[in-house]
Amino acid sequence: MSVVDSPTTRPPGGSTAPHRAPGSHAPRPRRRSRDALSTPWLLSLPTLALLALLLGYPLVRMVVLSFQNMRLRELISGRTPPWVGFDQYTKVLGDSVFWSVVGRTLAFTAGSVLVSVLFGLAIALLMRRVSRGVRLFMMVAMMFVWALPQLVAAQIFRWMTDSDFGVVNYVIDKLPGVDYSHHSWFVSPIQGWIVITTLVVWAGIPFLAITLNAGLTQVPKELLEAATVDGASPWQSLRSITLPILKPLITIVTTLSVIWNFGLFTQNWVLRDGHPEPQFQTLATYSYTQAFGQSRYSLGSAIAVITVLLMLGVMAFYIRQMFKIGEVD
Amino acid sequence: MVAPAVTRPAVRKRRATADEGVLTVGRSRAGTVAANLAGVVFSLLMLFPVYWVLNTAFKPAEEVLALTPTFLPKNPTFDNFVSAVKAPLFLKDMANGVIVTLLAVAGALVVGFLAALAIARFKFYGRKAVILVVLAVQLVPFVALLIPLFLMLQSVSLTNSLIGVSITYLVLILPYTVWTLRGFISAIPRELDEAALIDGCTRAQVFWRIILPLTGPGLVATSVYGFIQAWNEFIIINTLNSPGKQNLMAWLLQNQTTRGTAWGPLMAGAIITSIPVVIFFLIIQRNIATGLTAGAVKG
């Protein structure tokens, strides 16, 4: 928990040490060194306080809640819910439904991130190869997709895959020998997840392709030209020159994609009309449904705690990556 | 660390002209034609859903629900937009969204600027811890915190209130605000501060006369991004508040639960809701990616 925990433990505790001084402060600071010691903490204080109050405290409360049994009755009466120890966790961890949700979320994350990053990289490389006008067109097209709110994008996909009037069925139906009129995409979980993954990949490509394209402009042209002159195939140049230079950037965007896709909520939520069937639940929607749909607030919290724990390694990695770069500052 | 946006545009421009001298060695004309073709096909595929909303929104009801969809409206109409705007709660939710978003962005800007100043301009014990906190909280899945957040705000009667949501959104966009502004501030040469101090300015004057004016563009970019974040949010507001105290995104979500979606008005509503975001996004697009990956590209 050390990383995510820090908003709660750090700000109040950490800030007390250096900045106790300002109270006894003379109207005008005599020495700059003294001034420089307390000022930054005073400046950071509002931010840290807000983060502690609205992120740190809820985080602690979430953990506490997962050891209690909060139901609708306690919510209404405001009484302290009974302590149940690890009951919620044993219940969750002993539930095969939960494990299938975990497996599904992991499988979706792995699959969607792999497809997105590969696609993003391919498009970024393509952008280096096309003429200027086409590159501009690609850029504009992706900007529009990127700008669309998640919810709107999900609603558009829901409309396009509508079983009666959706354009996707209409187009597929046109193929010779295929009958897709009134085809429902969410009867089979595989097909449903194909739609969800397509939506996530489609919405994710702009960020990946545009960022990676910016990274590709940093690859020295002379190097690639020299390699070509020396007889390297395009594939060899890509593997031995371009990818190594691009690696730090690929690492960061992949990590971010993992964090985002692991928390999938909007897309499956909207595509399944706000009531995802068991086969379309991810950890985020599952926790939400347990808490706000079934009023099992403690059970939902336990699931949320497990979700955060599962994510911790990836998050720590991202922060370390950022810090490595930050060291330069 | 690379300062995100202030220095970027200039660097970009220089590079854009440099790479126009496209790699000529080992590139065939046929290859370029094929690549161009692939690029155009890809762009059209990406744009198809965008085109399809526009197409649907301008169709009259009977054309929307046609078993054979038409690829251009036969009788284009604004009816869907009219009925979306006239739909219950649409205008109310729009106003709520504007209020909540503006409050959150203004608050985050003021609070975040101070912290950004501390990180960018002071060397102090615990600076790294502050940076760590700011980076870490960006990654906490907010959906996971919804349960305690809901209970907490409820105990102080801030559920079903625009204030409660505004504060939540403020915290939601605060880390990014601090992080981006930090970049903008560090891009201002420290020598300017020092020169002003030598000339007799106080620290406060340095702030008002040098740092604040020079961070102007950064403040705009950051607040626009905050606006987009807050405007697009719907899970929190949909959970904390009941209809009438929600925003347009929640309106779009609610619209689906009534039996049989009215697709035309829904798509029209989606367009109205997206327009401010899309415009803002296109204005500041350069800054967004750089904030997330600052420094990973050597620039």
Side-chain angles (χ1 to χ4, degrees):
Chain A
M1 281 306 280
S2 67
V3 172
V4 176
D5 223 44
S6 43
T8 46
T9 49
R10 277 308 160 83
S15 63
T16 46
H19 98 251
R20 274 282 157 75
S24 58
H25 220 68
R28 187 174 295 172
R30 272 154 302 165
R31 265 195 261 147
R32 178 142 306 128
S33 62
R34 182 61 165 277
D35 168 56
L37 207 66
S38 59
T39 319
W41 278 106
L42 278 179
L43 291 174
S44 324
L45 195 65
T47 295
L48 295 176
L50 271 170
L51 293 179
L53 189 71
L54 273 116
L55 277 170
Y57 176 70
L59 213 52
V60 173
R61 184 82 188 271
M62 174 172 84
V63 176
V64 170
L65 213 56
S66 69
F67 291 105
Q68 297 174 325
N69 189 13
M70 176 94 161
R71 300 296 308 266
L72 201 54
R73 199 167 349 115
E74 286 82 13
L75 181 72
I76 292 165
S77 68
R79 256 178 299 150
T80 313
W83 293 90
V84 294
F86 281 93
D87 278 12
Q88 306 289 3
Y89 289 96
T90 44
K91 205 191 292 176
V92 169
L93 296 175
D95 186 0
S96 64
V97 174
F98 170 77
W99 288 110
S100 68
V101 172
V102 172
R104 190 177 308 120
T105 311
L106 288 175
F108 165 77
T109 308
S112 64
V113 170
L114 190 71
V115 175
S116 307
V117 172
L118 284 181
F119 249 104
L121 190 61
I123 298 302
L125 287 168
L126 182 63
M127 284 173 85
R128 299 278 84 212
R129 188 68 173 83
V130 295
S131 323
R132 198 181 178 186
V134 176
R135 178 153 64 235
L136 192 69
F137 182 46
M138 291 170 79
M139 205 68 151
V140 171
M142 287 195 281
M143 280 298 166
F144 269 101
V145 174
W146 195 356
L148 275 191
Q150 258 188 9
L151 174 69
V152 169
Q155 290 283 31
I156 299 172
F157 267 66
R158 194 165 73 90
W159 165 228
M160 291 201 307
T161 56
D162 184 75
S163 59
D164 296 328
F165 309 111
V167 65
V168 174
N169 280 353
Y170 172 78
V171 169
I172 296 181
D173 196 56
K174 284 275 156 195
L175 297 174
V178 187
D179 179 23
Y180 254 62
S181 54
H182 305 287
H183 173 76
S184 172
W185 282 87
F186 292 92
V187 170
S188 121
I190 301 232
Q191 288 195 354
W193 278 104
I194 288 176
V195 173
I196 297 171
T197 309
T198 311
L199 166 57
V200 170
V201 170
W202 170 76
I205 282 179
F207 164 71
L208 291 163
I210 290 171
T211 314
L212 291 174
N213 176 53
L216 282 175
T217 59
Q218 318 288 322
V219 179
K221 210 168 57 189
E222 298 75 23
L223 222 55
L224 293 171
E225 275 173 351
T228 316
V229 171
D230 288 349
S233 69
W235 173 245
Q236 282 173 320
S237 306
L238 176 71
R239 254 196 42 189
S240 343
I241 302 175
T242 310
L243 288 184
I245 296 180
L246 214 55
K247 203 180 143 209
L249 189 59
I250 295 179
T251 313
I252 289 231
V253 296
T254 308
T255 318
L256 273 174
S257 303
V258 169
I259 294 172
W260 290 334
N261 291 7
F262 190 81
L264 183 84
F265 185 98
T266 308
Q267 287 83 355
N268 52 342
W269 188 260
V270 172
L271 281 169
R272 298 316 302 133
D273 290 356
H275 303 284
E277 296 84 350
Q279 67 269 28
F280 293 111
Q281 293 277 12
T282 51
L283 274 169
T285 57
Y286 188 59
S287 157
Y288 187 92
T289 321
Q290 290 296 334
F292 295 102
Q294 320 257 6
S295 299
R296 293 183 189 134
Y297 300 99
S298 287
L299 197 70
S301 295
I303 299 168
V305 170
I306 298 171
T307 310
V308 171
L309 285 177
L310 281 173
M311 280 309 287
L312 219 54
V314 187
M315 289 178 181
F317 180 72
Y318 172 77
I319 290 168
R320 246 195 56 183
Q321 242 14 48
M322 292 296 272
F323 251 92
K324 248 193 219 163
I325 303 156
E327 228 69 89
V328 184
D329 199 12
Chain B
M1 193 169 305
V2 178
V6 175
T7 54
R8 274 295 156 86
V11 177
R12 278 263 175 95
K13 205 168 276 168
R14 184 151 32 84
R15 269 194 200 112
T17 42
D19 76 42
E20 260 351 285
V22 185
L23 229 168
T24 41
V25 187
R27 295 213 154 169
S28 66
R29 171 159 293 180
T32 309
V33 171
N36 283 344
L37 201 66
V40 170
V41 170
F42 162 76
S43 307
L44 292 177
L45 278 176
M46 288 297 277
L47 282 176
F48 184 82
V50 180
Y51 147 71
W52 199 249
V53 211
L54 292 168
N55 182 28
T56 307
F58 287 103
K59 283 178 180 177
E62 63 278 7
E63 268 186 65
V64 173
L65 296 185
L67 283 175
T68 310
T70 47
F71 285 81
L72 277 177
K74 263 181 277 176
N75 305 299
T77 164
F78 279 101
D79 286 0
N80 292 323
F81 291 89
V82 175
S83 59
V85 173
K86 281 191 178 158
L89 293 179
F90 187 88
L91 292 174
K92 178 110 174 92
D93 283 344
M94 185 188 273
N96 291 344
V98 171
I99 293 170
V100 166
T101 306
L102 290 183
L103 283 178
V105 170
L109 224 46
V110 173
V111 174
F113 194 90
L114 299 178
L117 201 59
I119 301 177
R121 271 296 187 262
F122 293 89
K123 293 249 171 293
F124 60 102
Y125 179 78
R127 176 172 174 275
K128 271 203 170 166
V130 177
I131 296 180
L132 180 74
V133 167
V134 168
L135 275 179
V137 294
Q138 286 194 74
L139 304 176
V140 177
F142 229 80
V143 179
L145 294 181
L146 253 180
I147 304 165
L149 200 68
F150 170 74
L151 298 175
M152 194 176 111
L153 289 174
Q154 210 203 26
S155 64
V156 289
S157 313
L158 277 179
T159 48
N160 212 12
S161 108
L162 294 183
I163 302 290
V165 174
S166 305
I167 300 173
T168 312
Y169 285 2
L170 194 168
V171 174
L172 191 71
I173 59 182
L174 188 55
Y176 184 88
T177 308
V178 173
W179 193 241
T180 338
L181 286 180
R182 177 210 61 88
F184 283 107
I185 297 173
S186 355
I188 303 169
R190 218 177 265 270
E191 288 75 22
L192 279 182
D193 298 21
E194 283 159 8
L197 285 170
I198 290 171
D199 287 351
C201 277
T202 60
R203 277 256 180 214
Q205 280 173 321
V206 170
F207 172 75
W208 286 109
R209 300 204 175 159
I210 293 178
I211 296 184
L212 196 59
L214 285 177
T215 339
L219 286 171
V220 174
T222 314
S223 53
V224 167
Y225 184 77
F227 177 94
I228 295 174
Q229 288 285 92
W231 184 261
N232 284 356
E233 208 291 326
F234 68 94
I235 303 170
I236 296 170
I237 202 166
N238 192 45
T239 311
L240 296 181
N241 290 5
S242 50
K245 295 263 185 192
Q246 298 180 338
N247 61 11
L248 275 184
M249 288 295 156
W251 184 89
L252 287 178
L253 188 71
Q254 303 282 316
N255 210 286
Q256 63 175 312
T257 40
T258 51
R259 199 56 228 134
T261 314
W263 288 108
L266 181 67
M267 292 299 132
I271 291 173
I272 299 173
T273 311
S274 308
I275 282 175
V277 174
V278 172
I279 292 174
F280 276 155
F281 186 92
L282 297 180
I283 296 172
I284 59 142
Q285 39 94 0
R286 280 222 165 121
N287 304 315
I288 290 182
T290 31
L292 291 165
T293 57
V297 193
K298 205 164 158 32

